[in-house]
Amino acid sequence: MAGLKIQNLYKNFNIKNENIKVLNDLNIHIQDESFVTIVGKSGCGKTTLLRILCGLEKQSEGSIEFIGDLDESNIKRKVGIVFQEPRLMPWLTVEQNMAFSLIKERNKDLAYDRIHKHLKMLGLENFKDAYPHQISGGMAQRVALGRTLCHDPEIILMDEPLGALDAFNRRKLQKEFINIFLENKKTIIFVTHDVDEAVYLGEKVIVMDKGSIIKEIPVNLDYYRDFSSKEFLEIREDILNLFFK
């Protein structure tokens, strides 16, 4: 299993000869088998941070230390990401899309068992032969999640995976993510701009603004949480007050 430490992390982009600071001196400790949400306004650097963690971007300064059996040689094998858009291949079925992450797996029995375990867990068994255009947006996002789970990463990064869904599918998949966390004990880092979602899902909420961390807030509430409870609303207000003082 794995956690990570981020120390003195900076990221700058050079745009038209202007140096734009996107991430500014981030220091984060994410423990093994924890569910951490990162919340902030659009453009605060959340997605850039995830792209650095999964190796799609390189930081300008600072270090990332993966705790456990992770190092630079196996980061792509052990870190999985779910994007806001499902990014399914339209010419492949649901089952084939989920199997794509196992294309290099030599043990075919293991691959088959893993695919069908996650088809069942995500309620996709009856749609395994359907193509992406034949399923709903919520189901497509479940397929994308299943593809990542089949890869069996130690750390799962989620970049606003529910941002394009209606409220009904959003709530259903929020509960699905909690189920997956409780059953599989993965380390999950979930980016969102929805404060309610951040409090509902995270054991800890990291609040970002303008490329910096302005606060880390522990959420000491049992799953599953009540959006209308006094404790939930107090944490929600604490976060919102950071932006609207």
Side-chain angles (χ1 to χ4, degrees):
M1 307 305 287
L4 59 88
K5 287 182 180 178
I6 299 167
Q7 294 182 298
N8 308 117
L9 192 76
Y10 291 82
K11 178 63 180 178
N12 302 325
F13 286 113
N14 191 284
I15 302 175
K16 294 184 178 180
N17 296 320
E18 183 179 358
N19 196 39
I20 306 296
K21 187 174 288 185
V22 180
L23 297 176
N24 181 37
D25 196 19
L26 300 190
N27 289 278
I28 305 171
H29 182 198
I30 295 176
Q31 294 185 345
D32 176 28
E33 297 184 2
S34 63
F35 198 143
V36 174
T37 52
I38 302 175
V39 68
K41 300 176 185 176
S42 295
C44 73
K46 307 184 301 294
T47 294
T48 299
L49 175 58
L50 286 200
R51 289 177 61 83
I52 291 172
L53 294 181
C54 70
L56 295 176
E57 294 278 355
K58 182 70 176 174
Q59 67 265 33
S60 301
E61 297 179 43
S63 65
I64 301 168
E65 178 188 354
F66 289 92
I67 304 162
D69 63 344
L70 287 172
D71 55 40
E72 296 228 349
S73 67
N74 67 1
I75 182 173
K76 289 185 178 179
R77 181 171 61 84
K78 290 296 185 178
V79 177
I81 186 164
V82 181
F83 296 98
Q84 182 171 352
E85 310 84 18
R87 302 191 182 187
L88 303 181
M89 286 163 278
W91 59 89
L92 298 181
T93 65
V94 163
E95 183 178 29
Q96 290 166 340
N97 267 284
M98 287 178 59
F100 193 78
S101 63
L102 294 170
I103 196 167
K104 294 182 179 181
E105 176 59 59
R106 295 181 179 180
N107 187 332
K108 299 306 178 186
D109 289 336
L110 174 64
Y112 179 87
D113 289 344
R114 194 177 292 174
I115 292 163
H116 284 269
K117 169 190 171 184
H118 291 108
L119 280 168
K120 183 177 181 179
M121 182 173 68
L122 294 168
L124 294 168
E125 285 178 299
N126 294 332
F127 297 89
K128 65 184 183 70
D129 296 320
Y131 288 90
H133 72 275
Q134 297 174 314
I135 59 178
S136 68
M139 291 178 67
Q141 198 60 282
R142 275 187 273 161
V143 177
L145 176 60
R147 179 177 56 196
T148 298
L149 291 173
C150 283
H151 183 54
D152 197 28
E154 299 287 353
I155 298 175
I156 301 176
L157 310 176
M158 297 191 183
D159 186 12
E160 300 192 43
L162 308 182
L165 300 184
D166 60 72
F168 306 102
N169 275 309
R170 192 182 188 106
R171 185 68 60 86
K172 184 176 181 179
L173 280 177
Q174 285 169 348
K175 291 182 177 179
E176 203 71 65
F177 291 153
I178 293 170
N179 289 338
I180 288 165
F181 170 65
L182 295 175
E183 291 173 13
N184 295 273
K185 287 302 180 183
K186 302 289 187 182
T187 302
I188 299 178
I189 305 171
F190 188 106
V191 157
T192 181
H193 58 259
D194 185 316
V195 175
D196 285 22
E197 183 168 77
V199 178
Y200 184 70
L201 294 175
E203 295 179 307
K204 176 171 70 174
V205 179
I206 296 173
V207 186
M208 288 185 65
D209 191 31
K210 298 177 182 177
S212 298
I213 295 171
I214 56 176
K215 195 166 185 180
E216 294 189 14
I217 300 175
V219 183
N220 299 314
L221 301 174
D222 294 335
Y223 295 118
Y224 301 86
R225 296 165 182 168
D226 181 352
F227 284 89
S228 61
S229 73
K230 177 185 176 184
E231 295 82 3
F232 186 100
L233 293 174
E234 284 176 349
I235 297 170
R236 178 182 183 273
E237 286 305 303
D238 285 346
I239 295 171
L240 289 173
N241 287 337
L242 294 171
F243 296 98
F244 302 105
K245 292 181 179 179

